[in-house]
Amino acid sequence: MLLLSNFIGGKFASLKEETYIDSYNPSTGKVYARIPNSTEYEINLAVEAAQKAFQTWSKTSRSTRAQIMYKIADILESKLNEFAVAESIDQGKTLEFAKNVDIPRSIYNFRYFAGHILHTEEKSTVTDNIALNYIQRYPLGVAGLISPWNLPLYLLTWKIAPCIAAGCTCVAKPSEFTSVTAYMLCDVFKQAGLPEGVVNIVFGTGSKSGQALVSHPKVPLISFTGGTVTGKKINETCAPLFKKVSLELGGKNANIIFEDCDFEKTVDTSIRAAFSNQGEICLCGSRIFVQKSIYPKFLDAFISQARQLVVGDPKDPKTKVGALISKQHMEKVLKYIELAKEYGGIIECGGIRKKLDGEFSDGYFVEPTVITNIKSSCRVAQEEIFGPEAINLANDNQYGLSCSIWSENGRRARRVAESIQVGYVWVNCWMVRDLRVPFGGVKKSGIGREGGEYSMNFFTEQKTICLAN
Ligand code: NAD
């Protein structure tokens, strides 16, 4: 049994009171790791360590910070397979996805932000020959970084990398469902020579460890990725304390398909957008709108491909859909499918738990599910399900994260893209990411933008200094 410990001040630390949480392997349904359930006491220690480290790290040159970050990336890359295997066991995702998406993107997060701080400049302005204004940008202090279970290392490093690049230090709390690769990352930090206390990782539940971190008075900024309900709670805690908050929340993203699309590419990518990572990506295209003239043809092709997706052992290269994160989550997904039926939804394929043999007999597998005949007002069309689902017919939505548009008519694609209320629109593609551009949502999908200079803006503050002649 794997036993994790917190990483505080550059050392693996034991708990004051030994309370642990069981962590399950979603594909077998068996406990395979135990996670410390940290209390306010451990959070306090971690914040103290981060505060101490901030005094030196915030004054460390950009080139030294970048050098260490490049080293972190290199070491992580040399252990890509090891990390991918661990991520797949811990999360239930396919090994192929972890190898090609999660871990490479985690590596790139460090490389990208290391490069970013070496290649940015600040502006200065002269006021009518009477004064010079220049902007001093400075890191804000200790950041609290809270990440979800769907893309564990990828989203954790998406926060840690810009944070330490900016000269901040942090206390990070990964999801209690997926803590293992974060724990492994601590050794990488040590090997890369990251000074003690720059990154502290504290494990535990959201209500206990997360809440203690968010409400800590010495943590002036909170970067959170997770569900909308949690985001609201965090915002309520932070607002009276005037903390800077970035909230990357849920999505229920539309995939809009026109008759003049490149049909094969559209079907292939729509399948990926719906079912990659078992549908557990905030950017998944879970609501599909198809122009009437090609609807029957699209539905046939889409269902036929969805049926061919192999659900099973995440290690098997043939597997395209692994296990859902937990028993509770699987039950939630299945409940939404039942709800869809009650509202007259037609289950075109899937719709049930997938029972496997042998070691996977208790795994949390659900067949890729396509539901049609759903009204826009139905909860199935409104709420994030985060499972292997695709829904036809829905229009307005409380979320506003991303959208894909499929059309070979540029003018039409632009017109639709510009009128959609989301933070990110892909035209004829899905999940193509450039870390320089702003990323984030509107409505219940969040507040703030991350990526390139937008992340830097979050982790730093700007002071204008006006010098008279
Ligand atoms: P969650 O909100 O349950 O948990 C996210 C993190 O918050 C976990 O580490 C959890 O322990 C912690 N947490 C929970 N309650 C807390 C509290 N009161 N105070 C502080 N921390 C607390 O989300 P999840 O189920 O882990 O992740 C899935 C959600 O994340 C989905 O809604 C998905 O859309 C969203 N997500 C969004 C993005 C994005 O970029 N917008 C990316 C990935 C996932």
Side-chain angles (χ1 to χ4, degrees), residues 145-151 155 158-159 173-178 204-215 222 224-231 233-234 237 247-253 280-283 325 329 332 384 386 399 401 439-441 445-446 450:
L145 311 178
I146 300 179
S147 52
W149 49 254
N150 62 332
L151 300 164
L155 292 176
W158 174 240
K159 298 188 181 303
K173 196 211 77 68
S175 167
E176 59 272 34
F177 290 101
T178 52
T205 58
S207 54
K208 204 168 170 187
S209 332
Q211 184 62 30
L213 176 58
V214 167
S215 53
I222 299 290
F224 170 77
T225 299
T228 297
V229 173
T230 315
K233 215 179 272 174
I234 289 179
T237 306
L247 301 173
E248 296 290 343
L249 310 177
K252 183 80 180 177
N253 312 298
E280 295 168 329
I281 302 182
C282 54
L283 304 166
I325 184 68
H329 187 59
K332 177 186 140 185
E384 186 183 46
F386 233 44
Y399 291 107
L401 191 55
F439 179 90
S445 290
E450 294 182 343

Side-chain angles (χ1 to χ4, degrees), residues 31-56:
V31 176
Y32 93 111
R34 307 204 70 210
I35 317 295
N37 197 3
S38 309
T39 62
E40 209 176 321
Y41 176 81
E42 281 79 27
I43 294 288
N44 285 343
L45 288 181
V47 174
E48 272 169 33
Q51 275 188 298
K52 190 163 166 231
F54 180 72
Q55 292 175 9
T56 329

Side-chain angles (χ1 to χ4, degrees), residues 253-274 285 287-291 294 298 302 403-410 412-414 416-417 420 425-432:
N253 312 298
N255 194 14
I256 304 170
I257 298 166
F258 291 98
E259 61 186 3
D260 59 9
C261 66
D262 175 336
F263 189 78
E264 272 176 29
K265 187 180 171 200
T266 304
V267 175
D268 289 352
T269 315
S270 300
I271 285 282
R272 267 200 315 115
R287 295 181 298 142
I288 307 186
F289 303 90
V290 188
Q291 196 165 358
I294 60 160
F298 178 86
F302 191 77
C403 170
S404 279
I405 295 165
W406 297 89
S407 170
E408 293 296 298
N409 177 335
R412 166 188 270 170
R414 232 189 83 201
V416 178
I420 291 274
V425 179
W426 282 291
V427 176
N428 297 328
C429 60
W430 174 71
M431 220 169 135
V432 175

Side-chain angles (χ1 to χ4, degrees), residues 73 157 165 297 352 432:
T157 54
K297 184 178 165 200
I352 52 168
V432 175

